[in-house]
C-alpha cells in the first residue's frame, strides 16, 4: 500500500473550465475572483496533475464570437492543452445561461428554442470533435418547470428523446465516436427538473433509437439533493453498462446546490463510492464538478483542485486497506456463507420450482444468522479515521 497520493494520467481526473474557473458568484453576491483565461486554467490543471479538462461551448468560445475569433480561441486552447499535457475529455453545450433558455432548451414549447438548442449542440459537438473529446454530456439544467401548467410532462419526455436521437445520429454521421452521458438533477435552477435522478435516465435510455451510445453521468450532489444514495445509483448504472462518466463533488442533503470539494461533507459516503469504482475497475473519466469556497482566492482554487484528487487517492488507499483487512473479510464471509442443500434463486426450471415449493425452510433458524454490522461499520470507521 502506497501513501503517495500523486495524481497520474491513469486516474483520469478531470475538471471543468467552469469548476476551476468558478468566480464565486452566487444568487446573493457577485464574483469574488477575477476571470482566468481558459489557457491559464489548463496550465493550473496540468501543474496540479489533472489528466483532462471539460468544457461547455461558451466556457471557451463566447456565445457571440465571430468565426475568426472562435478559430483563434480554439487553436490557442489546443496549444495550451498540448503544452501542459491535458486532454479535452468531455464537452457539452451551455443550454441554461442565456435568457433564450429561460423555459428550457430541448423541452421548450417554442420550436425555435428547440431548434436553436439543437444547432448550439451540434456546434458544441463539432468543437469537441476538433478537440478530441469522446464524451458528450447532456445536462438539462433548464429542462423543467416552476408550474406544470405550462406543458404536459410527457411532451417534454418525447421532445428530449427526439433531441437525443438526433444527437446520436449526428455523431454517427460525422464519425465523432461520442458516448453521450445524460446527467440528472432534481432541481436548481428550475423548481423541478425533468428526469430528476440517474435512475430516471436509465429508464429513458432504453427508449432511445441508439441506446447503445447513451449512458449516464451521475453526480454526487444531485443524488444527495434528492436524498438518495449516490453509490447505489452508480452501481445500477455500472451494472447496466451505462456508467460513461461521473461528476464527483459533495453536498449536504437538504441544502442548496453546494458543489463542495469531493468528500468535503460526507467522507464515509465518498469512501463507499470510491471503493465501488475501484472494486469494479471503472475506467472512464473521474470528473470533479465542484468549486472552491467563495472565500478563496486563486491559490485556494488550486488547493481545492489538488484536494479533490488527493482525497480520492486517499480513499482509494483506504479501500485497498479495507479489502485487505482480515477481520473485515472474515465478517463478510460469515454473513454470506453458503447454505449447502438449501434451494436458492437460480434460473427457473419446472424441476427447480417443484423442489423449491417442496422445501421445508427453517424460517426461525435462518432468521437468526448473526449480522454483525455494528462491528463491520466500526472497523470501516476506524480505517477511515486512521486508527486501523
Ligand atoms: C450543475 C451541473 C453542471 C453540469 C455541467 C455539465 O449542477 O450545474 O452539475 O455543472 O455538470 O453543466 O453538463
Ligand atoms: Mn451539479
Ligand atoms: Mn455536474
Amino acid at each position: 500500500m502506497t501513501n503517495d497520493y500523486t495524481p497520474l494520467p491513469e486516474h483520469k481526473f478531470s475538471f471543468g473550465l467552469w469548476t476551476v474557473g468558478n468566480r464565486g458568484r452566487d444568487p446573493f453576491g457577485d464574483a469574488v475572483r477575477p476571470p482566468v483565461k481558459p489557457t491559464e486554467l489548463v496550465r493550473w490543471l496540468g501543474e496540479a496533475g489533472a489528466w483532462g479538462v471539460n468544457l461547455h461551448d461558451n466556457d471557451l468560445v463566447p456565445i457571440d464570437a465571430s468565426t475568426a475569433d472562435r478559430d483563434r480561441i480554439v487553436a490557442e486552447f489546443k496549444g495550451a492543452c498540448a503544452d501542459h499535457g491535458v486532454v479535452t475529455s468531455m464537452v457539452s453545450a451551455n443550454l441554461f445561461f442565456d435568457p433564450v433558455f429561460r423555459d428550457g432548451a430541448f423541452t421548450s414549447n417554442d420550436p425555435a428554442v428547440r431548434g436553436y438548442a439543437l444547432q448550439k449542440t451540434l456546434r458544441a459537438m463539432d468543437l469537441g470533435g476538433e478537440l478530441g473529446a469522446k464524451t458528450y454530456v447532456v445536462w438539462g439544467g433548464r429542462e423543467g418547470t416552476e408550474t406544470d401548467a405550462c406543458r404536459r410532462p410527457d411532451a417534454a419526455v418525447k421532445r428530449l428523446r427526439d433531441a437525443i436521437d438526433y444527437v446520436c445520429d449526428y455523431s454517427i454521421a460525422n464519425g465523432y465516436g461520442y458516448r453521450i452521458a445524460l446527467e440528472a438533477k432534481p432541481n436548481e435552477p428550475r423548481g423541478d427538473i425533468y428526469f430528476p435522478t440517474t435512475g430516471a435516465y436509465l429508464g429513458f435510455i432504453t427508449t432511445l433509437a441508439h441506446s447503445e451510445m447513451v449512458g449516464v453521468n451521475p453526480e454526487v450532489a444531485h443524488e444527495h439533493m434528492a436524498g438518495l444514495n449516490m453509490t447505489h445509483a452508480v452501481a445500477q448504472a455500472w451494472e447496466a453498462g451505462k456508467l460513461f462518466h461521473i461528476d464527483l463533488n459533495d453536498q449536504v442533503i437538504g441544502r442548496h446546490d453546494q458543489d463542495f470539494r469531493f468528500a468535503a461533507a460526507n467522507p464515509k459516503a465518498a469512501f463507499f463510492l470510491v471503493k465501488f469504482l475501484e472494486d469494479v475497475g471503472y475506467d472512464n473519466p473521474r470528473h470533479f464538478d465542484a468549486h472552491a469556497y467563495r472565500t478563496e482566492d486563486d491559490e485556494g482554487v488550486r488547493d481545492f483542485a489538488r484536494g479533490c484528487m488527493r482525497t480520492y487517492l486517499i480513499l482509494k488507499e483506504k479501500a485497498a486497506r479495507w479489502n485487505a483487512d482480515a477481520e473485515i473479510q472474515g465478517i463478510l464471509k460469515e454473513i454470506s456463507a453458503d447454505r449447502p442443500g438449501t434451494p436458492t434463486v437460480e434460473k427457473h426450471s419446472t424441476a427447480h420450482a417443484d423442489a423449491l415449493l417442496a422445501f421445508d425452510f427453517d424460517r426461525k433458524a435462518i432468521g437468526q444468522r448473526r449480522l454483525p454490522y455494528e462491528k463491520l461499520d466500526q472497523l470501516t470507521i476506524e480505517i477511515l479515521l486512521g486508527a486501523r
Side-chain angles (χ1 to χ4, degrees), residues 192-214:
D192 287 288
I193 300 178
Y194 300 121
F195 301 100
T197 62
T198 296
Y201 268 139
L202 287 171
F204 174 67
I205 288 170
T206 63
T207 72
L208 299 173
H210 293 286
S211 58
E212 73 290 347
M213 291 173 62
V214 185

Side-chain angles (χ1 to χ4, degrees), residues 54 88 97 114 119 173 183 201 264 353:
N54 306 320
T88 304
F97 191 81
R114 300 201 297 274
Q119 181 197 64
E183 178 178 343
Y201 268 139

Side-chain angles (χ1 to χ4, degrees), residues 111-340:
V113 173
R114 300 201 297 274
Y116 175 60
L118 187 58
Q119 181 197 64
K120 201 165 183 297
T121 298
L122 303 190
R123 287 182 178 160
M125 293 172 77
D126 295 342
L127 172 64
E130 209 174 323
L131 296 171
K134 287 291 166 218
T135 305
Y136 188 89
V137 164
V138 175
W139 174 60
R142 294 276 174 202
E143 313 288 12
T145 59
E146 285 73 40
T147 169
D148 285 329
C150 65
R151 78 181 65 80
R152 261 177 53 170
D154 58 335
V157 173
K158 289 186 204 321
R159 287 173 187 164
L160 190 71
R161 179 181 301 117
D162 289 346
I164 303 296
D165 285 349
Y166 198 113
V167 161
C168 290
D169 282 330
Y170 188 73
S171 178
I172 294 168
N174 290 277
Y176 287 144
Y178 277 120
R179 303 217 301 164
I180 315 298
L182 309 180
E183 178 178 343
K185 188 175 185 182
N187 56 272
E188 252 189 271
R190 299 309 299 266
D192 287 288
I193 300 178
Y194 300 121
F195 301 100
T197 62
T198 296
Y201 268 139
L202 287 171
F204 174 67
I205 288 170
T206 63
T207 72
L208 299 173
H210 293 286
S211 58
E212 73 290 347
M213 291 173 62
V214 185
V216 290
N217 178 36
E219 174 167 320
V220 177
H222 299 178
E223 300 296 321
H224 286 191
M225 285 169 79
L228 300 177
N229 182 316
M230 168 70 169
T231 304
H232 293 189
V234 163
Q236 191 189 349
W238 170 263
E239 203 272 339
K242 293 297 182 191
L243 191 62
F244 288 7
H245 203 262
I246 192 164
D247 277 5
L248 301 169
N249 56 8
D250 214 348
Q251 168 78 34
V252 176
I253 290 175
R255 302 290 172 88
H256 68 282
D257 183 11
Q258 293 174 310
D259 278 340
F260 284 150
R261 188 182 74 258
F262 180 55
N266 303 281
K268 186 175 166 189
F271 165 74
F272 283 116
L273 177 59
V274 170
K275 186 172 126 48
F276 180 83
L277 296 174
E278 297 304 317
D279 283 350
V280 299
Y282 173 80
D283 193 32
N284 292 325
R286 292 173 174 80
H287 170 222
F288 296 104
D289 188 9
H291 50 73
Y293 300 143
R294 189 166 183 268
T295 40
E296 290 297 344
D297 60 8
D298 285 356
E299 187 50 32
V301 171
R302 293 193 287 269
D303 287 339
F304 146 81
R306 287 187 289 258
C308 285
M309 296 186 283
R310 186 171 167 83
T311 299
Y312 186 99
L313 294 173
I314 293 170
L315 293 175
K316 177 178 170 174
E317 190 222 328
K318 300 280 184 198
R321 190 178 288 276
W322 196 96
N323 286 338
D325 189 295
E327 200 172 352
I328 288 176
Q329 291 310 313
I331 295 176
L332 292 181
K333 217 169 146 198
E334 182 188 336
I335 60 180
S336 48
D338 280 350
R339 307 258 198 188

